[in-house]
Amino acid sequence: RVRESFIKQGTKGRFIRIRDLKLDITNLILNPLDIEYTEIPGSAMEIMNATLLLALRHGKLRPSLINGSNERIFISNDILALHVYEDIIDPAYLLTELDSDYVKRQVEAYSYGSSIQTISKRDALNLKIRVPDKEEQRARVHRIREEILRSKHRELELTREILGLKDDSFREFASIKHTLSQYLNALRSNVSGTI
């Protein structure tokens, strides 16, 4: 829930801006302690409990979840805050669907503005999302997590291989340098003997 009320000048709290929302699908949960504690502008809205946040600008929803906190948390007016009914939809499934290609295409279709792409709150609420039964939702989230883990594992293996090649190249370079150094030392000795 969001409380839209007048914010007194000088009110302080955690203030979430679009830049604070997540871009990485592997970690879409905001930690309130990572959010800047600052003076709150008068146009902000206060979050009352666990909430799904969606960016309404820059052409990306950047779906993020934030759990309630004992500190006051506010959002800028270009972020939409929604309550997720977990008995209907799994939050992890909802986040993956909001980051899916078919939802991104809908966002592009609803977006307006030439320099800063914006979607209205009404249009954001009209986005169509597939909602299968809870068991299928959990299975899909599990498959996506496994796919992400495999991708990260392949990335690590590639990094190790690259580092191994660099290490081999360094050893080969050191060997060539050593051989060249011995050759130059012998050449210097011959030149000085000849002189």
Side-chain angles (χ1 to χ4, degrees):
R1 294 189 183 190
V2 175
R3 181 169 45 190
E4 295 185 40
S5 59
F6 178 73
I7 308 288
K8 294 179 189 173
Q9 188 173 3
T11 301
K12 291 197 172 221
R14 303 278 177 189
F15 184 57
I16 301 173
R17 297 173 179 90
I18 287 181
R19 69 176 182 225
D20 298 318
L21 300 181
K22 300 291 187 164
L23 277 172
D24 183 14
I25 192 168
T26 59
N27 180 19
L28 296 171
I29 297 175
L30 288 174
N31 182 353
L33 298 177
D34 293 340
I35 299 164
E36 181 183 7
Y37 187 84
T38 187
E39 189 170 326
I40 307 301
S43 62
M45 294 172 284
E46 186 173 1
I47 297 174
M48 304 309 293
N49 52 16
T51 308
L52 168 68
L53 303 174
L54 301 175
L56 298 174
R57 291 183 192 250
H58 308 298
K60 293 181 181 155
L61 292 177
R62 298 174 71 143
S64 304
L65 279 176
I66 186 160
N67 294 323
S69 171
N70 55 0
E71 291 186 71
R72 295 180 76 184
I73 299 176
F74 299 85
I75 59 172
S76 68
N77 60 0
D78 52 3
I79 295 176
L80 176 62
L82 302 168
H83 177 73
V84 178
Y85 291 100
E86 294 183 28
D87 53 331
I88 298 172
I89 190 163
D90 183 78
Y93 173 79
L94 179 59
L95 290 172
T96 58
E97 286 300 292
L98 287 169
D99 196 53
S100 66
D101 290 335
Y102 78 93
V103 172
K104 288 177 183 176
R105 284 192 295 275
Q106 290 179 66
V107 170
E108 287 174 15
Y110 281 126
S111 294
Y112 61 91
S114 57
S115 60
I116 298 176
Q117 292 291 307
T118 304
I119 184 170
S120 71
K121 289 181 181 182
R122 185 176 48 101
D123 289 339
L125 293 172
N126 284 326
L127 294 173
K128 305 286 186 252
I129 297 174
R130 297 180 197 120
V131 184
D133 63 18
K134 293 282 279 188
E135 199 57 43
E136 191 175 330
Q137 291 177 33
R138 287 187 198 103
R140 179 167 162 75
V141 168
H142 182 70
R143 282 193 308 271
I144 289 172
R145 284 183 179 156
E146 283 183 349
E147 188 178 310
I148 289 170
L149 286 174
R150 280 194 297 274
S151 171
K152 295 282 185 187
H153 181 71
R154 282 193 299 266
E155 190 177 312
L156 278 172
E157 289 299 320
L158 182 62
T159 302
R160 280 188 196 145
E161 187 176 324
I162 289 171
L163 289 175
L165 289 173
K166 284 183 180 179
D167 193 39
D168 290 346
S169 298
F170 178 75
R171 284 191 202 123
E172 189 176 319
F173 176 72
S175 174
I176 291 171
K177 183 179 169 188
H178 178 69
T179 305
L180 190 59
S181 175
Q182 286 178 329
Y183 175 76
L184 289 175
N185 285 339
L187 190 60
R188 273 192 216 115
S189 296
N190 289 339
V191 168
S192 61
T194 305
I195 290 174

